[in-house]
């Protein structure tokens, strides 16, 4: 009887196993073999191929100082150790007791020195020394970017370094303003818009095209619970509305910060009426003290007067004073521009050569 019970138990267990697995024996699942080196390459234009080429030139920045702490991204400009990032990323380190730690692809770290900042463009240059094997990223031309072009964003969202996301250029020439609170300078950006997911920590990272060339510097997002573009985002996450500084603007500012320690801003030489709520940008304010058109400025030489409402820059409509500043700052000092304005109900066009804030 005992033998019969034992045999019955064994038979039941074997039957149950066979019923569950279909047969007696261990299960081994089929799997593709590991690809040998060389056979694992991805097409250069694929997302993986672009990321493979770009990642060695992207760095993660950890910044601390009297202004608090921040995490952001940057990318290598040259073999001399210059790195471009956003001003708001390194802002905590600008009180003298600074600490900027740069983490490179592969995990190497180095101390970085802030050598130039510009809050008006929200850009900054950090330099590292004694680091070999730097991989500068090639710079593209943001004037060649078209809506619908595929792009890849690289950064450290929420400190998750070397994160790669992809999307397209969803719009161009978006007038974005940010900052101006708690003593920080307001940034004006004629931005590239992308639906590539960007989150806090992506700030300062590269937005690259299908050939791996930088076309923008990721700088701001519009969060679902906020009404304005915010550098690096707030606590909200990506909703597919990210904004990047065009690389042509970034290149000019970076060169000036490296060579001169400061960047110039193009100006026309007027004070705008901040209380004007009509369409366009009005020069001067009613009853304001002083002349809102600076004597000898480009605006003065072009015949612009108090009360004129500037409505277009190079044929592009502007709807506010902030949009006018954004349009002006998308150009270089010395560029010639055509402005359309309204005076006493009549429309007229003037041409001027942009001045520079460095002129005094």
């Amino acid at each position: 009887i005992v033998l019969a019970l034992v045999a019955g138990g064994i038979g039941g267990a074997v039957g149950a196993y066979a019923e569950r697995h279909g047969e007696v024996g261990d299960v081994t699942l089929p799997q593709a073999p590991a690809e040998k080196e060389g056979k694992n390459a991805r097409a250069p234009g694929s997302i993986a191929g672009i990321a493979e080429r770009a990642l060695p030139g992207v760095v993660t920045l950890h910044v601390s100082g009297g202004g608090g702490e921040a995490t952001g991204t940057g990318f290598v400009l040259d073999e001399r150790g210059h790195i471009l990032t956003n001003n708001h990323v390194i802002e905590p380190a600008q009180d003298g007791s600074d600490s900027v730690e740069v983490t490179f692809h592969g995990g190497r770290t180095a101390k970085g020195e802030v050598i130039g900042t510009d809050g008006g463009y929200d850009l900054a240059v950090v330099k590292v020394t004694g680091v070999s094997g730097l991989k500068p990223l090639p710079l593209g031309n943001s004037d060649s970017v078209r809506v619908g072009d595929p792009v890849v964003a690289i950064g450290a969202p929420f400190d998750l370094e070397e994160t790669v996301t992809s999307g397209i250029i969803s719009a161009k020439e978006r007038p974005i303003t940010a900052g101006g609170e708690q003593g920080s300078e307001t940034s004006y950006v004629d931005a590239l818009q992308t639906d590539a997911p960007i989150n806090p920590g992506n700030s300062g990272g590269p937005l690259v095209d299908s050939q791996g060339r930088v076309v923008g510097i990721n700088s701001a997002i519009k969060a679902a619970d906020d009404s304005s573009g915010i550098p690096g985002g707030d606590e909200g996450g990506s909703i597919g509305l990210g904004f990047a500084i065009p690389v042509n603007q970034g290149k000019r500012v970076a060169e000036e910060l490296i060579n001169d320690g400061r960047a110039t801003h193009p100006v026309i030489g007027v004070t705008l009426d901040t209380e004007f709520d009509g369409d366009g940008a009005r020069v001067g304010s009613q009853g304001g003290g002083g002349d809102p058109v600076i004597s000898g400025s480009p605006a003065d030489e072009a015949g612009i007067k108090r009360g004129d409402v500037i409505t277009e820059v190079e044929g592009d409509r502007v709807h506010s004073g902030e949009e006018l500043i954004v349009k002006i700052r998308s150009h270089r000092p010395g560029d010639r521009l055509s402005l359309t304005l309204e005076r006493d109900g009549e429309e007229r066009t003037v041409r001027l050569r942009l001045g520079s804030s460095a002129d005094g």
Side-chain angles (χ1 to χ4, degrees):
I1 294 174
V2 172
L3 288 175
L5 290 173
V6 171
I10 294 174
V14 171
Y17 185 92
E19 181 179 354
R20 183 181 302 114
H21 299 283
E23 59 184 33
V24 177
D26 292 336
V27 172
T28 302
L29 302 175
Q31 184 181 21
E35 295 176 341
K36 295 182 179 180
E37 188 174 352
K39 292 185 177 181
N40 196 29
R42 298 295 186 262
S46 67
I47 304 301
I50 295 169
E52 184 177 10
R53 297 196 307 277
L55 278 169
V58 180
V59 303
T60 301
L61 303 172
H62 292 96
V63 183
S64 61
E69 298 181 350
T71 298
T73 308
F75 59 93
V76 179
L77 291 172
D78 56 28
E79 294 181 353
R80 297 167 65 179
H82 294 113
I83 294 167
L84 185 61
T85 186
N86 282 139
N87 178 66
H88 73 262
V89 170
I90 57 85
E91 203 163 20
Q94 295 184 37
D95 68 339
S97 60
D98 56 309
S99 174
V100 180
E101 184 181 76
V102 182
T103 302
F104 294 88
H105 179 66
R108 289 186 302 166
T109 62
K111 290 294 183 182
E113 176 188 3
V114 180
I115 66 167
T117 66
D118 190 279
Y121 285 112
D122 193 21
L123 291 169
V125 174
V126 173
K127 186 176 182 180
V128 295
T129 56
V131 180
S132 60
L134 296 177
K135 304 292 184 182
L137 292 188
L139 304 183
N141 192 312
S142 47
D143 288 344
S144 301
V145 172
R146 296 293 179 267
V147 174
D149 283 350
V151 286
V152 173
I154 305 176
F158 299 103
D159 207 13
L160 298 171
E161 60 188 42
E162 298 193 346
T163 294
V164 175
T165 57
S166 66
I168 62 170
I169 296 293
S170 50
K172 295 176 60 177
E173 299 179 352
R174 292 297 198 205
I176 301 300
T177 59
E181 298 178 359
Q182 298 178 347
S184 64
E185 186 176 354
T186 301
S187 303
Y188 298 91
V189 181
D190 202 23
L192 300 173
Q193 180 181 310
T194 180
D195 66 349
I198 295 174
N199 288 286
N202 274 106
S203 292
L207 186 70
V208 301
D209 63 12
S210 58
Q211 298 185 54
R213 303 171 302 191
V214 180
V215 294
I217 301 96
N218 302 318
S219 300
I221 66 172
K222 188 177 181 69
D225 57 352
D226 189 66
S227 59
S228 61
I230 302 175
D234 202 335
E235 294 304 316
S238 171
I239 59 171
L241 288 173
F243 303 96
I245 300 168
V247 73
N248 289 17
Q249 186 171 307
K251 175 180 180 294
R252 177 182 73 82
V253 173
E255 289 172 344
E256 291 185 344
L257 292 177
I258 292 170
N259 296 326
D260 305 323
R262 65 172 183 170
T264 57
H265 297 172
V267 295
I268 62 174
V270 300
T271 300
L272 297 177
D273 182 357
T274 57
E275 297 181 359
F276 179 65
D277 58 2
D279 197 39
R282 186 166 67 186
V283 178
S285 57
Q286 299 299 323
D291 193 339
V293 181
I294 299 174
S295 178
S297 68
D300 184 32
E301 294 179 355
I304 296 176
K305 300 183 181 301
R306 176 195 294 270
D308 286 349
V309 178
I310 301 172
T311 58
E312 293 181 5
V313 176
E314 289 291 289
D316 293 332
R317 190 79 183 181
V318 294
H319 302 284
S320 67
E322 290 182 341
E323 284 192 21
L324 175 62
I325 297 173
V326 167
K327 289 296 182 186
I328 296 298
R329 288 201 179 177
S330 68
H331 295 273
R332 295 171 175 263
D335 285 353
R336 289 189 176 275
L337 294 184
S338 173
L339 304 183
T340 301
L341 55 88
E342 294 178 357
R343 179 187 301 165
D344 300 326
E346 296 183 0
E347 186 175 89
R348 62 184 66 195
T349 300
V350 299
R351 290 193 61 81
L352 52 76
R353 183 190 294 271
L354 291 175
S356 169
S357 59
D359 292 340

